[in-house]
Amino acid sequence: MIISSLVTLYESLLKSGKIAPTEFEDKKIQRAIILTDDGAIKDIVQLASSDEKEKRPGALLRIPKWFVRTSGICPNFLADTSEYLLGCTAGKDEKAKAKFEASKNFHLKLLSSCSSPLATVICRFFESCDPSHVLEVWGDRIKAFSKGDVMTFETENGEFFVGNEEICRAWSEYYFSNKDGEDKSTCGRCLVTGRKDEKIGIVHDKIKVAGSQASGGTLVGFNSPAFESYGLKKNMNAPVGEYAMLAYTSALNYLLKTSSTHTRLGNDTIVWWTEDGDEETCDAFSAFFRGNDDSKLASIVQNISKGKNVDLNDENRLRKQFCILSLSPNAARVSVRFFYRNSFGYFLNNIASHSKRMEISAPNGMGTGLLSPYGILCETIPKGITEKSKAIPPIFLGALLTSILNNQRYPEAIYDSVIFRTKIEVEGGESSAKYKVSPRKAAFIKAYLLKNVDYHNYKEVLTVALNNDCNDEAYILGRLFAVLETAQYHANNSTNLSERYLSAACSTPALVFPTLLKLASHHVAKTDRGGFDQRDIEDLLSRLEGGKPFPKQFNNEEQGMFLLGYYQQRSYRFEKAKVN
């Protein structure tokens, strides 16, 4: 399913010219060897990059596809490192001359029948080039090379040899006829295309996923006899034809280079695409991970929630097949955490439902609108941690995205962690003096209770702002705690009630509220505003069942209701003060 969808994407990108054919690839080239018409080196220059911030600058060129190097000497065509093209390098490489000889023989053989004048120049270069002389004349330039710098050839007029039509045709003929001359494939039926007697890709191209090895990792691979069956060797156990292999790896690497089609959350990389390569749809979806209220996706989600028309140029976009893939680096391989494929409208509707559950009031608007999954997960870890992405448990990410994208129940572990962090932060004085319970935490608590708790009363009373009609015991006691805190503030112009008692009041109200009410009787007597505070206290107490003692203990769902009542009562207080 994953590979076939990526092959379809590849074919769409190929038609639009956004991706290179299977025998070519787009690669950053750091250096250019400028050749004269007789094949002599005129200069060796560094190629400029369009992005000045890049660690390794270079020009993005479409070059003949590199071979997969495992061990030994394996030259590439027209674009390679200095030891292959010049026979020398900045460091020490005892095989440099052998690599140059292999590259020389490879180029002369491939270009022997090519009639292009530029092909003749390349042949003259390799026939006359002496690595010792090159090092003597251009040694200072070569010493300035960085390890792994890629070079190519350029004419005096600024034309790159890799762009010559006749040379490219000669490369394509060679590539599809005998590739690199080694028997690296076996014929069989491709499980992706269904074609018979097709060459099977025994060694798949690397996927460049962040966090994996520098050379990348493989998505399909059998690197141990323990994984093989029925006498089949390596990737013959899951035969993917060379065309499908080149197509899916090219498409996936293209997505991983495009900012609007992937993001990194923790150690995982999330990739998304439409099978027809629709950039606008992918760009809109990327806002889901950025959590931008001003984004196009936020506008679309709001319209869906209100039953309005979706703000897209083409309504057919909602019916397009949309794919979301989560990749995790794992040594030399790339593991799949999850893969979902459905219509774009299906995912939008589910995100809209999640966004609606997450809506909550806040005096400055914080916590409302489209909150990214990363923003939610940041609420599960201590505030003092600087590298938050590394502190988030990997299992949380996949579980949360699964619940949002498929409109399923939220993970209980994340909810428990949010409740725990809320009590710890308030008790330790780490929380905001204004909010105590952050809007993001309150929003997720509300969303969890609406989705996970099978209790119809919650769906009726859990609103965006304070609900005066809610008589749920835990919610009322949460509001009562906020009112008692306000009474202390009015009496002393400061309050420490939440730091001392919130965690216990949330878990075991029967142990704490009698003490809090006794303290409140002193607080209301010390200020002119005590009468208003006393009225609010009595109003909330009257909503509790008469004569029934405070509950001995609250479960996790009730603790969430308590914290939500506490948050919304405080938010209402600040909104009221702002209006006045």
Side-chain angles (χ1 to χ4, degrees), residues 13 52 59 85 98 107 208 226 266 269 273 436 473 570:
L13 293 173
E52 296 179 355
L85 297 187
H107 282 81
K208 302 294 181 66
T269 299
W273 68 91
K436 301 294 183 180
E473 188 174 40
R570 283 180 58 85

Side-chain angles (χ1 to χ4, degrees), residues 158-175:
E159 179 186 356
F160 290 105
F161 287 73
V162 291
N164 182 265
E165 187 176 342
E166 290 186 50
I167 292 178
C168 288
R169 190 182 302 116
W171 163 253
S172 297
E173 291 174 359
Y174 170 83
Y175 187 88

Side-chain angles (χ1 to χ4, degrees), residues 101-142:
E101 286 299 320
S103 181
K104 173 182 176 179
N105 295 333
F106 177 55
H107 282 81
L108 293 177
K109 176 183 176 182
L110 199 152
L111 296 173
S112 59
S113 59
C114 183
S115 60
S116 170
L118 294 185
T120 304
V121 173
I122 292 292
C123 292
R124 288 173 180 170
F125 163 75
F126 277 106
E127 289 170 347
S128 62
C129 181
D130 179 7
S132 301
H133 179 70
V134 171
L135 189 60
E136 182 181 341
V137 176
W138 303 100
D140 292 339
R141 296 277 182 92
I142 295 172

Side-chain angles (χ1 to χ4, degrees), residues 356-431:
K356 191 171 184 179
R357 288 191 293 267
M358 289 284 293
E359 287 181 1
I360 199 162
S361 63
N364 64 352
M366 177 184 172
T368 61
L370 190 66
L371 180 61
S372 70
Y374 178 75
I376 295 173
L377 293 175
C378 283
E379 299 299 322
T380 66
I381 57 179
K383 287 192 172 182
I385 294 179
T386 53
E387 297 186 14
K388 295 183 182 296
S389 60
K390 293 183 179 180
I392 297 172
I395 195 172
F396 277 14
L397 173 63
L400 180 62
L401 286 176
T402 296
S403 65
I404 295 173
L405 296 173
N406 296 296
N407 200 22
Q408 297 175 357
R409 292 163 62 90
Y410 295 106
E412 292 181 16
I414 296 178
Y415 174 78
D416 293 343
S417 184
V418 168
I419 295 291
F420 175 75
R421 288 306 321 163
T422 301
K423 293 190 289 185
I424 288 295
E425 287 172 10
V426 173
E427 193 176 69
E430 301 174 26
S431 60

Side-chain angles (χ1 to χ4, degrees), residues 288 297-298 300-307 345-360 369-371 376 403-410 443-444 446-448 450-451 464:
F288 171 56
L297 183 65
I300 295 170
V301 165
Q302 289 174 8
N303 287 340
I304 290 176
S305 301
K306 296 175 183 177
Y346 170 83
F347 292 119
L348 280 187
N349 279 313
N350 292 342
I351 292 172
S353 299
H354 162 73
S355 179
K356 191 171 184 179
R357 288 191 293 267
M358 289 284 293
E359 287 181 1
I360 199 162
L370 190 66
L371 180 61
I376 295 173
S403 65
I404 295 173
L405 296 173
N406 296 296
N407 200 22
Q408 297 175 357
R409 292 163 62 90
Y410 295 106
F444 183 73
K446 171 177 171 280
Y448 177 90
L450 283 171
K451 184 65 179 176
V464 174

